[in-house]
């Protein structure tokens, strides 16, 4: 499938922003005053004078000084000392700032991303020392669990853009600064060692790291090296519904129906009781699992600096990280089809809160998911003071990130269980809200016998899945800039070139259909395919008693525990079905029977192949000066940035030519495809991005700010493929396809900030900041139900209807809000606090009653509040942090998304977390510390369109850390 492209050049700028060009010209003629600080200095490493003052109060004062002097809206977190960042995770620290909330990784509970003023993920650009980070995950956001906080010098969150740095983030630009040798001449050493334990995992795991920095040759050369090994083990209990699918029930399916028979139909000629006419939502798949995750990360960094003269400084650095995450999973799952549900009870919203499905199979699942992510960035920076007034800076870097390099297997999964003759008249009932209850099984077990729920004598093999997703992201970037200043007048100018190339491919046992080699559950279920499972493959059952703290809901008594790889090896050990007869092998399937030779080999999925190359040229100019208005210092900064982007998108296309039923699993349909063909397309766009910052110091302590800017956020690279991808294994009644869209244009935002700040005493301030963002070109995950290539659905004899998901540029929306911040230190008592709250709203909230497939709403918006109370005196520190975030719309789309009403939403429920940390300086060099996370044992849960449509609930447990830090 090919897409048509067009070139576009958008130079249209909001009327308010269009005055920036005139202001630039006007600025040249304005008289100057004292020197002005601008955002280009934000995120630079701390100076020698900064490091002398250590501890919480010293860190807070440095942060406050930067915020106060910056020309734009910025919040900063500084290390309290070398090797002493406030939190063990970068995202966890960022959530203490006004307007910033965190997102948590599903299986680990670790903060892996941030939301700024309601904008999450790709809306926030993360830089290291001013350079874009490569990320092989496919998006533009950075997984913060891959960024070690040990030895980070400073985090800066720029909520208004600095055109000399970037304008490619509607949410915020996060600049991570690492220490460098010349930050503090001489020799310094920092070492840390700690052990942590998550209460459910029950295993102490280490963190160990060290930093060495020295200067020599009369302090004209310096060298710094650091390395950290971190491990986190986490055990999580989960209950899930893969998706709440919207569609139409027939009246005969509803509770109380007196119809003699029930054959739900879309045909207008069908009897009234059989005609699908009642709007409702049902669970596509229901289950629970336990996940044990081992997260190991190695971070290393080398930096060299040379200053041959006072006018020249050369910095060369290399940042490396390697993260390996392995998750072992044991669980169960049941699959439902809307047309098979009976005795359906609905609530007033149409949600199926009670139903029965006859003949439901039961799967016991096991899996090992493994991901290796390696990132390396090499950079060179040269600063040259050409004259007293003119300075230049050149910076070049190369970065590459690889996911699952080499011959790795990313995921190994197995399903075993029973069905067919042992299928269950399974009942599921929804009894409460997703924030404190999960759906419960009213009937379960083989043929409804709950006492034989996990009887090994009746369990046989089902599907076997192996897969790996290999991604790479390669970034080349070069920037050259200059600064001319005289007195308080400063002009900055320059440009940047960036090339980002993203590649992706999937290999799995779906592409060759080997996953169904032994599907069917075997003879106990009355099937000809599937083999019995030897009892020696089972481990100790996992009790499901008190599964999720604070949640109600009935679950079966236990999970069967077995190793997915051992299960696959057992099946492979049965031999080659082409050379020997193996009872239970799926000989009847034409895509499996003649091709499987005994090994679950992976095959390339052509539809997954992506090769996206994005090249961006940008140029900028800004003017900064200070003047007086009625005797009050007035600071002014105006700038423009032009960005031109060229995109080449390549993939491999094919279309389905037939759907064939599976004898081993009647819920499956296998797809036969046309020949594959390469597809490549090109597009381009350009935008002018102006920026304006003004600050008026009413008094020395009371300041007013006004900021206006235009920013953009580019689409995720993995959404730009030109290919429509239809998966080879489809479910009956749930046919799906996904399409990329290389014609996507960036989100555009016109941003306005008005802030009042009161610095009423040292280390204390109060501030209020009002903001508005008018965002256009919103990218939405549109869905439509359509035929593809006229293929026939063998279960209906009619053209197959696929739910096709594809992102498109959609409507505009306005987001507005207010940030409140208050930081106070109680004199010399050592006590203090930092508190903030953010309140946001939009003119495009989610409408649950909108059943159109093009429904739209702004995601990520949530009120939030943070409070950090601390004591810091005489070498003893203790800090308590409370973080609250209200319920919010996270995204459109669910794990299984085949709704007739478009992309169903995913909401995250309200969450509150309490953390505690403390340290004590035994000597000036030696410190012991401890940390306790999630003290109140909170859970994280999500739901669908309505609050009782639970999607996921995770119980993360608490984590405790204790360690020692040494520095000199």
């Amino acid at each position: 499938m090919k897409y048509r492209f067009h070139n576009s050049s958008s130079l249209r700028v909001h009327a308010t922003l269009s005055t920036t060009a005139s202001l630039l010209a006007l600025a040249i003629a304005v008289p100057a005053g004292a020197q002005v600080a601008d955002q280009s200095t934000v995120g630079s490493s701390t100076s020698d004078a900064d490091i002398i003052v250590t501890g919480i109060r010293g860190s807070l004062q440095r942060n406050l000084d930067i915020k106060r002097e910056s020309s734009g809206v910025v919040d900063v977190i500084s290390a309290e000392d070398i090797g002493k960042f406030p939190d063990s995770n970068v995202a966890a620290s960022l959530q203490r700032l006004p307007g910033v909330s965190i997102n948590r990784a599903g299986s680990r509970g670790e903060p892996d991303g941030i939301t700024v003023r309601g904008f999450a993920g790709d809306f926030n650009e993360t830089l290291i020392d001013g350079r874009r980070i490569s990320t092989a995950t496919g998006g533009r956001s950075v997984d913060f669990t891959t960024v070690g906080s040990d030895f980070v010098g400073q985090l800066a969150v720029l909520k208004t853009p600095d055109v000399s740095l970037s304008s490619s983030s509607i949410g915020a630009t996060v600049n991570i600064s690492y220490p460098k040798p010349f930050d503090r001449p001489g020799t310094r050493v920092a070492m840390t060692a700690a052990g942590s334990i998550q209460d459910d995992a029950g295993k102490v795991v280490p963190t160990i790291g060290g930093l060495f920095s020295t200067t020599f040759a009369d302090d004209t050369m310096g060298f710094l090296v650091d390395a950290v090994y971190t491990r986190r083990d986490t055990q999580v209990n989960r209950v899930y519904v893969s998706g709440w699918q919207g569609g139409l029930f027939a009246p005969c399916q509803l509770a109380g129906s007196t119809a003699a028979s029930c054959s739900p139909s879309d045909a207008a000629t069908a009897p009234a009781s059989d005609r699908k006419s009642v709007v409702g939502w049902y669970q596509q798949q229901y289950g629970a699992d336990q996940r044990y995750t081992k997260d190991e990360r190695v971070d290393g960094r080398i930096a060299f600096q040379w200053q041959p003269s006072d006018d020249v400084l050369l910095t060369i650095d290399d940042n490396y990280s390697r993260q390996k995450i392995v998750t072992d999973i044991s669980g169960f799952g049941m699959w439902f089809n809307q047309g098979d549900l009976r005795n359906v009870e609905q609530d007033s919203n149409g949600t199926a809160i009670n139903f029965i499905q006859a003949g439901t199979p039961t799967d016991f699942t096991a899996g090992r998911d493994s991901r290796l992510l390696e990132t390396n960035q090499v950079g060179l920076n040269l600063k040259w003071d050409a004259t007293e007034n003119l300075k230049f800076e050149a910076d070049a870097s190369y970065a590459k990130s690889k996911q699952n390099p080499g011959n790795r297997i990313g995921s190994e999964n197995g399903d075993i269980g029973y069905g067919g003759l042992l299928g269950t008249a399974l009942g599921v009932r929804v009894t409460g809200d997703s924030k404190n209850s999960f759906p419960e099984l009213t009937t379960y077990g083989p043929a409804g016998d709950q006492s034989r729920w996990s009887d090994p004598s009746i369990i046989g093999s089902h599907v076997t899945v192996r897969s790996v997703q290999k991604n790479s992201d390669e970034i080349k970037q070069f920037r050259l800039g200059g600064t001319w200043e005289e007195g308080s007048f400063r002009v900055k100018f320059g440009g940047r070139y960036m090339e980002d190339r993203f590649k992706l491919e999937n290999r799995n046992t779906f592409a060759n259909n080997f996953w169904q080699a032994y599907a069917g559950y075997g003879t106990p279920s009355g099937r000809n395919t599937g083999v019995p499972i030897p009892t020696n493959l089972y481990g100790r059952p996992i009790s499901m008693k008190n599964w999720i703290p604070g949640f109600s809901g009935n679950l079966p008594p236990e999970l069967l525990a077995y190793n997915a790889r051992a299960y696959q090896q057992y099946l492979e050990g049965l031999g080659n079905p082409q050379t020997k007869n193996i009872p239970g092998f799926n000989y009847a399937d034409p895509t499996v029977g003649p091709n499987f030779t005994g090994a679950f080999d992976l095959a390339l999925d052509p539809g997954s192949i992506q090769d996206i190359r994005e090249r961006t040229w940008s140029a900028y100019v800004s003017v900064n000066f200070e003047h007086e208005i009625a005797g009050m210092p007035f600071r002014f900064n105006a700038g423009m940035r032009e960005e031109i982007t060229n995109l080449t998108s390549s993939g491999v296309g094919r279309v389905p030519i037939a759907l064939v039923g599976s004898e081993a699993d009647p819920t499956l349909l296998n797809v036969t495809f046309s020949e594959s063909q390469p597809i490549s397309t090109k597009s381009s766009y350009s935008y002018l991005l102006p920026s304006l910052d003004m600050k008026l110091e009413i008094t020395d302590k009371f300041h007013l700010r006004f900021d206006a800017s235009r920013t953009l956020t580019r689409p995720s690279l993995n959404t730009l493929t030109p290919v429509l991808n239809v998966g080879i294994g489809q479910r009956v009644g749930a046919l799906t396809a996904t399409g990329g869209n290389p014609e996507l244009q960036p989100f555009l935002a016109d941003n306005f900030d008005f802030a009042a700040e009161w610095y009423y005493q040292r280390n204390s301030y109060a501030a209020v900041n009002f903001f508005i963002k008018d965002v256009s070109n919103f990218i939405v995950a549109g869905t439509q139900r359509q035929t593809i290539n006229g293929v026939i659905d063998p279960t209906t004899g009619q053209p197959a209807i696929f739910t096709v998901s594809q992102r498109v540029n959609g409507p505009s929306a306005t987001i507005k809000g207010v940030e409140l911040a208050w930081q106070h230190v109680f004199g010399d008592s050592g006590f203090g606090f930092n508190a903030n709250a953010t309140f946001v709203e939009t003119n495009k909230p989610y409408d649950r009653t909108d059943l159109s497939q093009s429904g739209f709403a702004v995601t990520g918006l949530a009120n939030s509040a943070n409070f950090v109370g601390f004591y810091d005196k005489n070498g003893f520190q203790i800090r308590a942090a409370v973080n609250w975030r209200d319920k919010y719309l996270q995204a459109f789309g669910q794990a299984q998304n085949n709704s007739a009403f478009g992309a169903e939403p995913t909401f995250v429920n309200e969450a509150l977390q309490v953390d505690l940390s403390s340290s004590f300086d035994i000597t000036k060099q030696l410190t012991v510390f401890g940390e306790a996370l999630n003290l109140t044992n909170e859970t994280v849960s999500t739901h669908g369109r309505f609050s009782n449509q639970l999607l996921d609930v995770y119980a993360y447990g608490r984590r405790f850390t204790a360690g020692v830090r040494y520095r000199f």
Side-chain angles (χ1 to χ4, degrees):
M1 180 175 181
K2 293 187 177 181
Y3 292 93
R4 243 179 350 107
F5 280 80
H6 64 277
N7 293 334
S8 65
S9 177
S10 176
L11 301 178
R12 296 169 299 169
V13 182
H14 192 283
T16 302
L17 299 179
S18 65
T19 62
T20 303
S22 301
L23 289 170
L24 277 170
L26 176 64
I28 298 176
V30 177
Q35 181 62 52
V36 183
D38 65 20
Q39 287 175 271
S40 63
T41 61
V42 174
S44 59
S45 298
T46 52
S47 68
D48 182 28
D50 288 332
I51 296 177
I52 291 174
V53 182
T54 63
I56 296 175
R57 288 179 294 169
S59 172
L60 292 177
Q61 186 60 51
R62 289 193 294 277
N63 304 341
L64 201 57
D65 290 343
I66 295 172
K67 179 180 180 67
R68 181 173 183 169
E69 296 301 318
S70 175
S71 60
V73 179
V74 61
D75 289 294
V76 179
I77 299 174
S78 299
E80 296 169 22
D81 200 349
I82 294 300
K84 191 179 181 184
F85 205 69
D87 295 279
S88 57
N89 181 285
V90 168
S93 284
L94 289 171
Q95 73 173 328
R96 320 295 187 204
L97 297 176
V100 181
S101 302
I102 61 171
N103 310 313
R104 294 189 177 275
S107 295
R108 295 170 285 154
E110 293 286 321
D112 64 346
I114 61 170
T115 295
V116 181
R117 295 177 168 180
F119 290 89
D122 293 352
F123 288 103
N124 303 305
E125 184 175 36
T126 301
L127 311 174
I128 289 182
D129 291 327
R131 302 166 182 151
R132 257 274 300 281
I133 306 175
S134 63
T135 171
T137 57
R140 298 184 187 272
S141 61
V142 171
D143 182 346
F144 282 103
T145 68
T146 68
V147 181
S149 65
D150 304 89
F151 310 130
V152 167
Q154 189 182 90
L155 295 176
V157 179
L158 283 67
K159 298 176 183 175
T160 58
D162 176 356
V163 296
S164 67
L165 189 64
S166 174
S167 296
S168 300
S169 54
I170 290 177
T173 299
V174 180
N175 195 17
I176 303 172
S177 298
Y178 287 111
K180 299 176 180 64
F182 286 173
D183 290 347
R184 186 180 181 186
T187 299
R188 51 186 171 139
V189 174
M191 294 180 289
T192 184
S196 70
I197 183 172
Q198 189 240 14
D199 48 8
D200 293 326
K203 181 182 293 185
V204 177
V205 292
T207 294
I208 185 167
L211 177 147
F212 173 79
S213 178
T214 188
T215 57
F216 51 94
D218 294 329
D219 290 339
T220 61
M221 293 186 179
F223 177 78
L224 181 148
V225 60
D226 67 58
V228 183
Y229 169 80
T230 305
R231 177 171 164 180
R232 295 281 188 270
D233 280 22
T234 307
Q235 181 173 289
V236 171
N237 290 343
R238 175 193 182 212
V239 173
Y240 67 89
V241 174
S242 291
W244 285 85
Q245 309 305 322
L248 300 176
F249 289 103
C252 65
Q253 295 179 262
L254 304 183
S257 171
T258 58
S261 63
C262 189
S263 300
S265 173
D266 292 313
T269 57
S273 62
D274 288 347
R275 197 176 308 141
K276 294 181 180 179
S277 57
V278 181
V279 172
W281 286 264
Y282 71 100
Q283 303 169 44
Q284 187 79 83
Q285 187 180 31
Y286 176 70
D289 59 45
Q290 183 174 95
R291 299 169 172 236
Y292 191 101
T293 300
K294 184 171 76 171
D295 182 350
E296 294 182 286
R297 192 183 68 241
V298 175
D299 299 287
R301 183 169 182 270
I302 298 174
F304 170 78
Q305 289 187 298
W306 179 40
Q307 190 166 20
S309 68
D310 292 340
D311 302 327
V312 177
L313 175 62
L314 175 69
T315 303
I316 302 173
D317 59 356
D318 188 341
N319 299 307
Y320 172 81
S321 69
R322 181 182 188 272
Q323 184 185 43
K324 183 180 179 181
I325 302 173
V326 178
T327 301
D328 289 307
I329 307 168
S330 297
F332 76 84
M334 290 93 166
W335 179 269
F336 305 106
N337 293 311
Q338 186 172 25
D340 295 333
L341 305 186
R342 299 293 184 269
N343 201 32
V344 177
E345 297 178 24
Q346 295 179 285
D347 65 9
S348 59
N349 293 320
T351 301
I353 58 173
N354 200 359
F355 63 84
I356 292 289
Q357 177 175 273
T360 308
T362 297
D363 284 345
F364 294 97
T365 59
R368 167 164 285 194
D369 293 338
S370 177
R371 188 186 79 171
L372 177 64
L373 192 64
E374 286 187 322
T375 302
N376 194 66
Q377 184 178 65
V378 180
L380 183 149
N381 181 276
L382 179 65
K383 295 179 179 179
W384 175 41
D385 296 348
T387 69
E388 184 178 348
N389 303 103
L390 184 61
K391 301 177 182 179
F392 292 99
E393 180 179 1
D395 190 276
S397 67
Y398 171 81
K400 187 165 187 178
S401 180
K402 297 179 288 185
Q403 178 173 291
N404 296 324
N407 297 318
R408 297 182 55 81
I409 299 296
S411 179
E412 298 182 280
N413 294 278
D415 284 8
I416 60 177
Y418 44 82
L421 297 178
L422 297 177
T424 308
L426 190 75
V428 181
R429 179 169 55 205
V430 176
T431 60
D433 194 273
S434 59
K435 64 184 179 182
N436 52 31
S437 69
F438 49 78
E440 61 181 26
L441 299 179
T442 56
T443 58
Y444 58 85
D449 186 348
Q450 296 185 12
S451 67
R452 302 184 67 194
W453 157 256
S454 55
D455 182 353
S457 67
I458 58 173
I459 293 175
S461 64
H462 196 38
V463 296
T464 307
V465 177
R466 304 181 80 196
S467 64
V468 62
Q469 180 170 307
K470 293 180 177 292
N471 300 355
S472 69
D473 184 37
E474 185 178 31
I475 294 180
K476 302 171 185 176
Q477 50 193 322
F478 174 77
R479 71 175 188 267
L480 178 65
T483 303
W484 185 85
E485 60 183 311
E486 184 167 345
S488 67
F489 184 75
R490 175 187 298 146
V491 178
K492 300 181 72 175
F493 54 90
R496 184 184 72 173
Y497 169 76
M498 179 179 294
E499 180 178 325
D500 191 349
R501 188 169 189 180
F502 173 75
K503 294 182 179 181
L504 177 152
E505 67 174 39
N506 285 329
R507 295 179 179 272
N508 51 55
T509 54
F510 292 111
N512 51 21
N513 224 25
F514 285 3
W515 70 306
Q516 295 188 62
Y518 289 96
Y521 304 121
T523 53
S525 294
R527 297 281 179 79
N528 295 324
T529 57
V531 297
I533 305 301
T535 56
N536 62 359
L537 289 183
Y538 298 117
R540 184 176 180 180
I542 300 171
S543 172
M544 300 189 73
K545 186 177 181 181
N546 301 322
W547 194 243
I548 306 288
F551 272 67
S552 62
N554 179 52
L555 290 172
E558 64 184 20
L559 292 176
L560 279 178
Y562 65 98
N563 182 281
R565 183 56 186 145
Y567 163 63
Q568 293 180 6
Q569 289 173 334
Y570 166 72
L571 296 179
E572 289 177 329
L574 297 177
N576 183 352
Q578 310 304 325
T579 61
K580 59 184 294 190
N581 181 51
I582 303 177
F585 175 70
N586 191 2
Y587 285 102
D589 193 312
T591 62
V592 180
N595 301 315
F596 184 80
T597 59
F600 290 99
D601 298 324
L602 278 65
L604 175 64
D605 177 3
S608 71
I609 296 175
Q610 297 183 27
D611 188 349
I612 315 294
R613 187 176 71 168
E614 180 184 80
R615 293 179 295 172
T616 301
W617 294 263
S618 57
Y620 68 87
V621 61
S622 68
V623 173
N624 191 309
F625 70 86
E626 180 176 331
H627 189 51
E628 284 193 356
I629 298 177
M632 296 177 290
F634 173 68
R635 300 184 178 187
F636 177 93
N637 182 71
M640 292 186 195
R641 188 179 182 96
E642 172 78 5
E643 299 219 346
I644 302 171
T645 300
N646 289 341
L647 181 76
T648 302
S649 177
S650 302
V652 176
R654 58 181 185 172
V655 293
I657 58 176
L659 296 176
V660 181
S662 169
E663 292 189 16
D665 189 339
T667 70
L668 290 175
L669 292 173
N670 296 317
V671 184
T672 303
F673 291 97
S674 65
E675 292 294 326
S676 300
Q677 62 176 346
I679 298 175
S680 183
T681 56
K682 293 183 178 181
S683 64
S684 65
Y685 54 82
S686 65
Y687 291 94
L688 181 66
L689 306 171
S691 173
L692 174 68
D693 305 299
M694 293 186 290
K695 178 183 175 185
L696 181 65
E697 299 184 11
I698 304 296
T699 69
D700 181 55
K701 296 182 178 180
F702 185 68
H703 301 174
L704 297 178
R705 295 181 188 270
F706 174 77
D707 305 90
S709 64
R710 168 165 280 196
T711 54
L712 60 80
T713 288
R714 292 180 174 83
S716 297
L717 291 171
N718 60 358
T719 65
L720 299 174
T721 175
V723 171
L724 177 68
N725 189 18
V726 178
I728 190 170
Q730 298 281 337
R731 291 282 188 176
V732 173
L735 304 177
T736 61
T738 57
N741 186 356
E743 295 185 18
L744 288 174
Q745 296 289 297
F747 300 83
L748 284 178
D750 291 335
N751 315 290
F752 304 91
D753 279 74
F754 179 78
E757 301 166 352
W758 180 32
Y759 301 91
Y760 58 89
Q761 69 178 36
R762 179 171 175 78
N763 224 331
S764 301
Y765 85 107
V768 56
N769 190 341
F770 298 93
F771 62 88
I772 298 175
K773 293 179 179 289
D774 288 321
V775 186
S776 58
N777 281 356
F778 258 101
I779 297 174
V780 295
T783 64
Q784 58 183 353
R785 293 168 69 82
Q786 65 180 70
T787 61
I788 299 178
N789 202 36
V791 294
I792 301 299
D793 185 341
T795 65
T796 65
Q798 302 296 317
I801 303 297
F802 291 80
T803 299
V804 180
S805 300
Q806 184 182 36
R807 286 174 172 81
V808 295
N809 287 109
S812 302
T814 298
I815 295 90
K816 56 185 178 180
V818 58
E819 295 172 351
L820 307 175
W822 185 15
Q823 179 176 303
H824 185 78
V825 173
F826 295 93
D828 194 39
S829 67
F831 288 98
F833 66 83
N834 190 322
N836 60 74
T838 303
F839 304 94
V840 292
E841 63 180 22
T842 178
N843 65 336
K844 295 291 179 65
Y846 183 70
D847 181 2
R848 291 171 173 80
T849 64
D850 183 2
L851 301 186
S852 68
Q853 293 184 348
S854 57
F856 166 73
V858 178
T859 60
L861 294 183
N863 297 332
S864 62
N866 306 290
F867 177 85
V868 179
F870 63 85
Y871 175 82
D872 174 19
K873 194 171 184 180
N874 300 323
F876 176 70
Q877 297 181 8
I878 187 168
R879 180 195 331 243
V882 182
N883 302 104
W884 170 80
R885 188 177 188 181
D886 204 357
K887 181 177 73 172
Y888 65 97
L889 173 63
Q890 182 183 50
F892 284 94
Q894 299 170 3
Q896 300 281 350
N897 195 81
N898 193 49
S899 177
F901 310 133
E904 291 291 325
T906 296
F907 285 89
V908 179
N909 285 320
E910 177 184 9
L912 178 75
Q913 180 159 325
V914 180
D915 302 327
L916 183 68
S917 62
S918 182
S919 68
F920 178 68
D921 297 336
I922 297 176
T923 67
K924 290 184 178 181
Q925 291 77 34
L926 185 63
T927 300
V928 293
F929 63 91
E931 182 181 62
L933 303 179
N934 194 20
L935 281 173
T936 55
N937 202 20
E938 293 294 317
T939 58
V940 173
S941 59
T942 62
H943 67 79
R945 185 180 293 251
F946 302 106
S947 62
N948 62 346
Q949 293 181 354
L950 181 130
L951 290 170
D952 272 304
V953 54
Y954 292 94
Y956 293 118
R958 306 174 181 89
R959 187 181 302 280
F960 303 94
T961 301
V964 60
R965 186 181 296 113
Y966 180 78
R967 59 195 178 276
F968 67 84

